[in-house]
Amino acid sequence: MNQAEIRKLIPAVRVAINAKHRKFSNPKGPEGRLTMLRKTVTELVKLERVELNYQRGDEARGYAERLIAMAIKHGDRHIPTMEMANYWLTEKQLVHKLFKVLAVRYKDHTESYTKLHKAPNIYPGFYRERVVLELKGNPFPPLEKKNSSHNWIHNILLEEAHQDYIRKKLKEGERSN
Amino acid sequence: MANLSGRRQSPLYHVIYIEREREREREREREHRIILQEVQMKGPYHKKALTNTAVKQKRSQLFTQEAQRQAALITDIEKIEVQYDGQPENCTLIMNKGMSTPYNCAQHINQMMMERSVLAEVDGQVWDMHRPLEDNCTLRFLHFRQSDPYYANKAFWRSASVMLGAVLESSFKDNLYVELCSYPSPNVRSGSFVYDVDLKIPEWEPSKEELRTLSGEMVKLSLAAHRFERLEVDASVALKMFADNRFKTQQIPQMAAQSTSGNTVVVYRIGDFVEVSRGPMMAGTSHLGKVSIVAVHPIETNEAQLFRVQGVALPRGFLLNHFAYGVLEKRAQQMNSGRLPLNISSTEPQTQASTL
């Protein structure tokens, strides 16, 4: 089976993923790790915005992305997808949310379905990097204020220089005509 | 007296000697008269020629005296409440009335606010960072990286003009008495900041090295990190400060008439350079980053030959690659279309390019 066919079978994850998974040492071994990640993915689908340590947030993000991508691609009539949803979402009413809300919301998206923000460390505290993981298009107020640099002084100067250049070219064109 | 040499002396020897002496004396007097005439043609013999250094010192001294006089007027320290609105959190500061400035408030908040803030907004009014607060107020800080830094940009351009004035006044030799005229209202979109100046030279086409020297002086002024000290003074004091500048003596009464109090003007000082302007200015000269003086254009007026000196600058911390900056420099070389200073001796009501 060549790669083109694999791509047809599994939808591509739209975020960068580490080549190696994080092990997250756990007394219950790999199973414990998955239980932990399932908890996070379920929280994310339920609350749409969660604050986590970076490592856990980044790892869970890939699984959530894959789950949503499968739900969009195959819909709720596809047995393997339903099995996946059943596994990753520990609260069963969220399975309905996945297919009826999220799959519909992200049907025409061309980018990733989730967003990872850096969160501040609170002093004094543990010096682990904190992040906020959220589903795009959630109903909460935006976390990052968009600060446009359009009116910063160098951009004004460059824009005016550009306008000048266009005017000059137009004049030259008129003259040659 | 015995004649030891044995040579016979004429009896008239002494008379002849005295005659010759008198003749020499007369000659010397004649010479003196000619010199005196020359001096009188040039100007009063006893008066020293004006130099920019002396004038600058005089202005700075007057500024200090006036600042001390005004500070002495405040005898009781009253407290005011300043509601700060912004990063890292809103807070209330108890400050001194008529003494504390927005800069002092920033010192209480944090270092970044202190270094980054260009202007303050007091009760919605744009306020200099070093202008004392007058009453209970709300306070915000403005800087260059807001989504619309209109006032900060404008203050930056205006301050760059003033700094250019300071450089022009101090960079020439003392035998040229440089008189600063004015600069048009700051307009970033014009691509260059400007100062119109009377250099007392009929013609000047600066070489690349000369322009680079002026740019270097601007950088030095920026590195000196002077504050823009602000002082509101009576027009008479301002006239005393600027008695040696024929342009400013004309502008000051007009500016005083336009002021809210009707008889005061605002003067700013950076280092020992004093300038009359309505402001507001940025907090200090250290906000000026990359800067170059790019062109000098002659302007004809009916009394003096003025020069329009132009430059372009970016605030500190704004990085631009040399090609893009070169584009800006090239554009700044074009004659700035800002209002020209008036014909100095015209009697008709003028539209003066006042120092805004």
PDB file of all heavy atoms in Angstrom, chain A residues 92-115:
ATOM      1  N   LYS A  92     -20.766  10.002  27.586  1.00  0.00           N
ATOM      2  CA  LYS A  92     -21.335   9.560  26.311  1.00  0.00           C
ATOM      3  C   LYS A  92     -22.199  10.610  25.604  1.00  0.00           C
ATOM      4  O   LYS A  92     -22.353  10.576  24.388  1.00  0.00           O
ATOM      5  CB  LYS A  92     -22.132   8.265  26.514  1.00  0.00           C
ATOM      6  CG  LYS A  92     -21.264   7.110  26.958  1.00  0.00           C
ATOM      7  CD  LYS A  92     -20.050   6.920  26.049  1.00  0.00           C
ATOM      8  CE  LYS A  92     -18.965   6.133  26.771  1.00  0.00           C
ATOM      9  NZ  LYS A  92     -17.621   6.372  26.225  1.00  0.00           N
ATOM     10  N   GLN A  93     -22.750  11.576  26.378  1.00  0.00           N
ATOM     11  CA  GLN A  93     -23.547  12.602  25.675  1.00  0.00           C
ATOM     12  C   GLN A  93     -22.670  13.454  24.756  1.00  0.00           C
ATOM     13  O   GLN A  93     -23.149  14.096  23.822  1.00  0.00           O
ATOM     14  CB  GLN A  93     -24.333  13.475  26.660  1.00  0.00           C
ATOM     15  CG  GLN A  93     -23.506  14.369  27.553  1.00  0.00           C
ATOM     16  CD  GLN A  93     -23.108  13.662  28.845  1.00  0.00           C
ATOM     17  OE1 GLN A  93     -22.834  12.451  28.862  1.00  0.00           O
ATOM     18  NE2 GLN A  93     -23.090  14.408  29.938  1.00  0.00           N
ATOM     19  N   LEU A  94     -21.337  13.440  25.012  1.00  0.00           N
ATOM     20  CA  LEU A  94     -20.428  14.240  24.185  1.00  0.00           C
ATOM     21  C   LEU A  94     -20.253  13.639  22.794  1.00  0.00           C
ATOM     22  O   LEU A  94     -19.841  14.325  21.876  1.00  0.00           O
ATOM     23  CB  LEU A  94     -19.067  14.360  24.871  1.00  0.00           C
ATOM     24  CG  LEU A  94     -19.077  15.201  26.155  1.00  0.00           C
ATOM     25  CD1 LEU A  94     -17.701  15.226  26.769  1.00  0.00           C
ATOM     26  CD2 LEU A  94     -19.579  16.600  25.884  1.00  0.00           C
ATOM     27  N   VAL A  95     -20.572  12.336  22.644  1.00  0.00           N
ATOM     28  CA  VAL A  95     -20.492  11.715  21.315  1.00  0.00           C
ATOM     29  C   VAL A  95     -21.461  12.429  20.376  1.00  0.00           C
ATOM     30  O   VAL A  95     -21.139  12.731  19.233  1.00  0.00           O
ATOM     31  CB  VAL A  95     -20.815  10.213  21.403  1.00  0.00           C
ATOM     32  CG1 VAL A  95     -20.797   9.585  20.022  1.00  0.00           C
ATOM     33  CG2 VAL A  95     -19.816   9.511  22.308  1.00  0.00           C
ATOM     34  N   HIS A  96     -22.636  12.739  20.890  1.00  0.00           N
ATOM     35  CA  HIS A  96     -23.621  13.472  20.078  1.00  0.00           C
ATOM     36  C   HIS A  96     -23.096  14.846  19.723  1.00  0.00           C
ATOM     37  O   HIS A  96     -23.247  15.322  18.609  1.00  0.00           O
ATOM     38  CB  HIS A  96     -24.956  13.595  20.836  1.00  0.00           C
ATOM     39  CG  HIS A  96     -25.563  12.273  21.129  1.00  0.00           C
ATOM     40  ND1 HIS A  96     -26.106  11.502  20.124  1.00  0.00           N
ATOM     41  CD2 HIS A  96     -25.705  11.569  22.278  1.00  0.00           C
ATOM     42  CE1 HIS A  96     -26.551  10.373  20.658  1.00  0.00           C
ATOM     43  NE2 HIS A  96     -26.328  10.392  21.964  1.00  0.00           N
ATOM     44  N   LYS A  97     -22.448  15.498  20.722  1.00  0.00           N
ATOM     45  CA  LYS A  97     -21.896  16.845  20.468  1.00  0.00           C
ATOM     46  C   LYS A  97     -20.854  16.781  19.358  1.00  0.00           C
ATOM     47  O   LYS A  97     -20.815  17.637  18.470  1.00  0.00           O
ATOM     48  CB  LYS A  97     -21.282  17.403  21.751  1.00  0.00           C
ATOM     49  CG  LYS A  97     -20.764  18.829  21.564  1.00  0.00           C
ATOM     50  CD  LYS A  97     -20.218  19.439  22.826  1.00  0.00           C
ATOM     51  CE  LYS A  97     -19.665  20.816  22.529  1.00  0.00           C
ATOM     52  NZ  LYS A  97     -19.039  21.450  23.678  1.00  0.00           N
ATOM     53  N   LEU A  98     -20.021  15.733  19.416  1.00  0.00           N
ATOM     54  CA  LEU A  98     -18.962  15.600  18.409  1.00  0.00           C
ATOM     55  C   LEU A  98     -19.532  15.550  16.997  1.00  0.00           C
ATOM     56  O   LEU A  98     -19.078  16.265  16.107  1.00  0.00           O
ATOM     57  CB  LEU A  98     -18.141  14.326  18.689  1.00  0.00           C
ATOM     58  CG  LEU A  98     -17.050  14.005  17.675  1.00  0.00           C
ATOM     59  CD1 LEU A  98     -15.945  15.056  17.730  1.00  0.00           C
ATOM     60  CD2 LEU A  98     -16.464  12.623  17.921  1.00  0.00           C
ATOM     61  N   PHE A  99     -20.568  14.718  16.806  1.00  0.00           N
ATOM     62  CA  PHE A  99     -21.080  14.541  15.434  1.00  0.00           C
ATOM     63  C   PHE A  99     -22.053  15.631  15.034  1.00  0.00           C
ATOM     64  O   PHE A  99     -22.103  16.034  13.873  1.00  0.00           O
ATOM     65  CB  PHE A  99     -21.742  13.157  15.290  1.00  0.00           C
ATOM     66  CG  PHE A  99     -20.736  12.046  15.305  1.00  0.00           C
ATOM     67  CD1 PHE A  99     -20.569  11.239  16.426  1.00  0.00           C
ATOM     68  CD2 PHE A  99     -19.942  11.808  14.185  1.00  0.00           C
ATOM     69  CE1 PHE A  99     -19.643  10.220  16.429  1.00  0.00           C
ATOM     70  CE2 PHE A  99     -19.012  10.782  14.195  1.00  0.00           C
ATOM     71  CZ  PHE A  99     -18.854   9.992  15.322  1.00  0.00           C
ATOM     72  N   LYS A 100     -22.844  16.126  16.002  1.00  0.00           N
ATOM     73  CA  LYS A 100     -23.912  17.053  15.611  1.00  0.00           C
ATOM     74  C   LYS A 100     -23.521  18.521  15.738  1.00  0.00           C
ATOM     75  O   LYS A 100     -24.139  19.376  15.114  1.00  0.00           O
ATOM     76  CB  LYS A 100     -25.156  16.771  16.456  1.00  0.00           C
ATOM     77  CG  LYS A 100     -25.784  15.457  16.055  1.00  0.00           C
ATOM     78  CD  LYS A 100     -27.056  15.213  16.765  1.00  0.00           C
ATOM     79  CE  LYS A 100     -27.613  13.851  16.341  1.00  0.00           C
ATOM     80  NZ  LYS A 100     -28.591  13.375  17.303  1.00  0.00           N
ATOM     81  N   VAL A 101     -22.524  18.786  16.584  1.00  0.00           N
ATOM     82  CA  VAL A 101     -22.121  20.188  16.752  1.00  0.00           C
ATOM     83  C   VAL A 101     -20.759  20.441  16.111  1.00  0.00           C
ATOM     84  O   VAL A 101     -20.621  21.271  15.209  1.00  0.00           O
ATOM     85  CB  VAL A 101     -22.096  20.589  18.249  1.00  0.00           C
ATOM     86  CG1 VAL A 101     -21.691  22.039  18.408  1.00  0.00           C
ATOM     87  CG2 VAL A 101     -23.447  20.326  18.887  1.00  0.00           C
ATOM     88  N   LEU A 102     -19.739  19.699  16.593  1.00  0.00           N
ATOM     89  CA  LEU A 102     -18.373  20.024  16.150  1.00  0.00           C
ATOM     90  C   LEU A 102     -18.145  19.682  14.682  1.00  0.00           C
ATOM     91  O   LEU A 102     -17.579  20.471  13.937  1.00  0.00           O
ATOM     92  CB  LEU A 102     -17.353  19.294  17.040  1.00  0.00           C
ATOM     93  CG  LEU A 102     -17.425  19.661  18.524  1.00  0.00           C
ATOM     94  CD1 LEU A 102     -16.306  18.987  19.305  1.00  0.00           C
ATOM     95  CD2 LEU A 102     -17.372  21.162  18.735  1.00  0.00           C
ATOM     96  N   ALA A 103     -18.610  18.492  14.254  1.00  0.00           N
ATOM     97  CA  ALA A 103     -18.412  18.106  12.848  1.00  0.00           C
ATOM     98  C   ALA A 103     -19.082  19.111  11.922  1.00  0.00           C
ATOM     99  O   ALA A 103     -18.549  19.459  10.869  1.00  0.00           O
ATOM    100  CB  ALA A 103     -18.967  16.706  12.618  1.00  0.00           C
ATOM    101  N   VAL A 104     -20.233  19.608  12.340  1.00  0.00           N
ATOM    102  CA  VAL A 104     -20.948  20.597  11.512  1.00  0.00           C
ATOM    103  C   VAL A 104     -20.195  21.925  11.505  1.00  0.00           C
ATOM    104  O   VAL A 104     -20.032  22.574  10.481  1.00  0.00           O
ATOM    105  CB  VAL A 104     -22.390  20.783  12.048  1.00  0.00           C
ATOM    106  CG1 VAL A 104     -23.120  21.849  11.254  1.00  0.00           C
ATOM    107  CG2 VAL A 104     -23.144  19.469  11.990  1.00  0.00           C
ATOM    108  N   ARG A 105     -19.703  22.299  12.716  1.00  0.00           N
ATOM    109  CA  ARG A 105     -19.014  23.591  12.849  1.00  0.00           C
ATOM    110  C   ARG A 105     -17.758  23.640  11.987  1.00  0.00           C
ATOM    111  O   ARG A 105     -17.450  24.636  11.357  1.00  0.00           O
ATOM    112  CB  ARG A 105     -18.640  23.818  14.319  1.00  0.00           C
ATOM    113  CG  ARG A 105     -18.110  25.213  14.597  1.00  0.00           C
ATOM    114  CD  ARG A 105     -17.383  25.289  15.939  1.00  0.00           C
ATOM    115  NE  ARG A 105     -18.263  25.195  17.076  1.00  0.00           N
ATOM    116  CZ  ARG A 105     -17.830  25.112  18.346  1.00  0.00           C
ATOM    117  NH1 ARG A 105     -16.530  25.133  18.589  1.00  0.00           N
ATOM    118  NH2 ARG A 105     -18.677  25.012  19.335  1.00  0.00           N
ATOM    119  N   TYR A 106     -17.035  22.504  11.940  1.00  0.00           N
ATOM    120  CA  TYR A 106     -15.721  22.533  11.276  1.00  0.00           C
ATOM    121  C   TYR A 106     -15.751  21.958   9.861  1.00  0.00           C
ATOM    122  O   TYR A 106     -14.706  21.722   9.268  1.00  0.00           O
ATOM    123  CB  TYR A 106     -14.698  21.752  12.115  1.00  0.00           C
ATOM    124  CG  TYR A 106     -14.496  22.328  13.489  1.00  0.00           C
ATOM    125  CD1 TYR A 106     -14.665  21.564  14.632  1.00  0.00           C
ATOM    126  CD2 TYR A 106     -14.134  23.655  13.635  1.00  0.00           C
ATOM    127  CE1 TYR A 106     -14.466  22.103  15.886  1.00  0.00           C
ATOM    128  CE2 TYR A 106     -13.948  24.205  14.890  1.00  0.00           C
ATOM    129  CZ  TYR A 106     -14.119  23.422  16.013  1.00  0.00           C
ATOM    130  OH  TYR A 106     -13.936  23.955  17.232  1.00  0.00           O
ATOM    131  N   LYS A 107     -16.953  21.751   9.335  1.00  0.00           N
ATOM    132  CA  LYS A 107     -17.100  21.096   8.032  1.00  0.00           C
ATOM    133  C   LYS A 107     -16.263  21.779   6.949  1.00  0.00           C
ATOM    134  O   LYS A 107     -15.575  21.125   6.174  1.00  0.00           O
ATOM    135  CB  LYS A 107     -18.587  21.141   7.652  1.00  0.00           C
ATOM    136  CG  LYS A 107     -19.005  20.112   6.644  1.00  0.00           C
ATOM    137  CD  LYS A 107     -20.531  20.127   6.525  1.00  0.00           C
ATOM    138  CE  LYS A 107     -21.005  21.533   6.189  1.00  0.00           C
ATOM    139  NZ  LYS A 107     -22.458  21.691   6.244  1.00  0.00           N
ATOM    140  N   ASP A 108     -16.287  23.110   6.910  1.00  0.00           N
ATOM    141  CA  ASP A 108     -15.597  23.839   5.831  1.00  0.00           C
ATOM    142  C   ASP A 108     -14.275  24.469   6.261  1.00  0.00           C
ATOM    143  O   ASP A 108     -13.718  25.285   5.530  1.00  0.00           O
ATOM    144  CB  ASP A 108     -16.531  24.922   5.276  1.00  0.00           C
ATOM    145  CG  ASP A 108     -17.823  24.310   4.750  1.00  0.00           C
ATOM    146  OD1 ASP A 108     -17.743  23.197   4.199  1.00  0.00           O
ATOM    147  OD2 ASP A 108     -18.892  24.928   4.927  1.00  0.00           O
ATOM    148  N   HIS A 109     -13.817  24.094   7.451  1.00  0.00           N
ATOM    149  CA  HIS A 109     -12.539  24.678   7.911  1.00  0.00           C
ATOM    150  C   HIS A 109     -11.379  24.161   7.081  1.00  0.00           C
ATOM    151  O   HIS A 109     -11.349  23.007   6.701  1.00  0.00           O
ATOM    152  CB  HIS A 109     -12.298  24.326   9.378  1.00  0.00           C
ATOM    153  CG  HIS A 109     -12.874  25.345  10.314  1.00  0.00           C
ATOM    154  ND1 HIS A 109     -12.217  25.797  11.419  1.00  0.00           N
ATOM    155  CD2 HIS A 109     -14.042  26.024  10.277  1.00  0.00           C
ATOM    156  CE1 HIS A 109     -12.961  26.699  12.026  1.00  0.00           C
ATOM    157  NE2 HIS A 109     -14.077  26.843  11.368  1.00  0.00           N
ATOM    158  N   THR A 110     -10.410  25.034   6.824  1.00  0.00           N
ATOM    159  CA  THR A 110      -9.208  24.597   6.101  1.00  0.00           C
ATOM    160  C   THR A 110      -8.008  24.530   7.029  1.00  0.00           C
ATOM    161  O   THR A 110      -6.946  24.081   6.632  1.00  0.00           O
ATOM    162  CB  THR A 110      -8.896  25.577   4.963  1.00  0.00           C
ATOM    163  OG1 THR A 110      -8.865  26.888   5.520  1.00  0.00           O
ATOM    164  CG2 THR A 110      -9.943  25.511   3.873  1.00  0.00           C
ATOM    165  N   GLU A 111      -8.166  25.007   8.264  1.00  0.00           N
ATOM    166  CA  GLU A 111      -7.041  24.976   9.205  1.00  0.00           C
ATOM    167  C   GLU A 111      -7.384  24.062  10.373  1.00  0.00           C
ATOM    168  O   GLU A 111      -8.425  23.411  10.377  1.00  0.00           O
ATOM    169  CB  GLU A 111      -6.744  26.391   9.698  1.00  0.00           C
ATOM    170  CG  GLU A 111      -6.043  27.228   8.627  1.00  0.00           C
ATOM    171  CD  GLU A 111      -5.803  28.645   9.065  1.00  0.00           C
ATOM    172  OE1 GLU A 111      -6.460  29.103  10.027  1.00  0.00           O
ATOM    173  OE2 GLU A 111      -4.960  29.302   8.444  1.00  0.00           O
ATOM    174  N   SER A 112      -6.502  24.067  11.379  1.00  0.00           N
ATOM    175  CA  SER A 112      -6.713  23.194  12.533  1.00  0.00           C
ATOM    176  C   SER A 112      -7.990  23.588  13.273  1.00  0.00           C
ATOM    177  O   SER A 112      -8.463  24.711  13.159  1.00  0.00           O
ATOM    178  CB  SER A 112      -5.522  23.293  13.472  1.00  0.00           C
ATOM    179  OG  SER A 112      -5.452  24.599  13.980  1.00  0.00           O
ATOM    180  N   TYR A 113      -8.518  22.608  14.042  1.00  0.00           N
ATOM    181  CA  TYR A 113      -9.774  22.855  14.750  1.00  0.00           C
ATOM    182  C   TYR A 113      -9.545  23.391  16.159  1.00  0.00           C
ATOM    183  O   TYR A 113     -10.465  23.846  16.813  1.00  0.00           O
ATOM    184  CB  TYR A 113     -10.595  21.560  14.821  1.00  0.00           C
ATOM    185  CG  TYR A 113     -10.652  20.850  13.492  1.00  0.00           C
ATOM    186  CD1 TYR A 113     -10.047  19.606  13.310  1.00  0.00           C
ATOM    187  CD2 TYR A 113     -11.300  21.436  12.412  1.00  0.00           C
ATOM    188  CE1 TYR A 113     -10.078  18.968  12.086  1.00  0.00           C
ATOM    189  CE2 TYR A 113     -11.327  20.797  11.186  1.00  0.00           C
ATOM    190  CZ  TYR A 113     -10.711  19.571  11.026  1.00  0.00           C
ATOM    191  OH  TYR A 113     -10.738  18.960   9.812  1.00  0.00           O
ATOM    192  N   THR A 114      -8.304  23.250  16.621  1.00  0.00           N
ATOM    193  CA  THR A 114      -8.009  23.702  17.991  1.00  0.00           C
ATOM    194  C   THR A 114      -6.941  24.774  17.960  1.00  0.00           C
ATOM    195  O   THR A 114      -6.250  24.955  16.960  1.00  0.00           O
ATOM    196  CB  THR A 114      -7.471  22.537  18.844  1.00  0.00           C
ATOM    197  OG1 THR A 114      -6.299  22.033  18.208  1.00  0.00           O
ATOM    198  CG2 THR A 114      -8.484  21.438  18.988  1.00  0.00           C
ATOM    199  N   LYS A 115      -6.826  25.467  19.095  1.00  0.00           N
ATOM    200  CA  LYS A 115      -5.775  26.493  19.180  1.00  0.00           C
ATOM    201  C   LYS A 115      -5.111  26.387  20.544  1.00  0.00           C
ATOM    202  O   LYS A 115      -5.777  26.156  21.554  1.00  0.00           O
ATOM    203  CB  LYS A 115      -6.390  27.878  18.980  1.00  0.00           C
ATOM    204  CG  LYS A 115      -5.345  28.937  18.792  1.00  0.00           C
ATOM    205  CD  LYS A 115      -5.915  30.094  17.990  1.00  0.00           C
ATOM    206  CE  LYS A 115      -4.983  31.206  17.866  1.00  0.00           C
ATOM    207  NZ  LYS A 115      -3.909  31.568  17.500  1.00  0.00           N
TER     208      LYS A 115
END
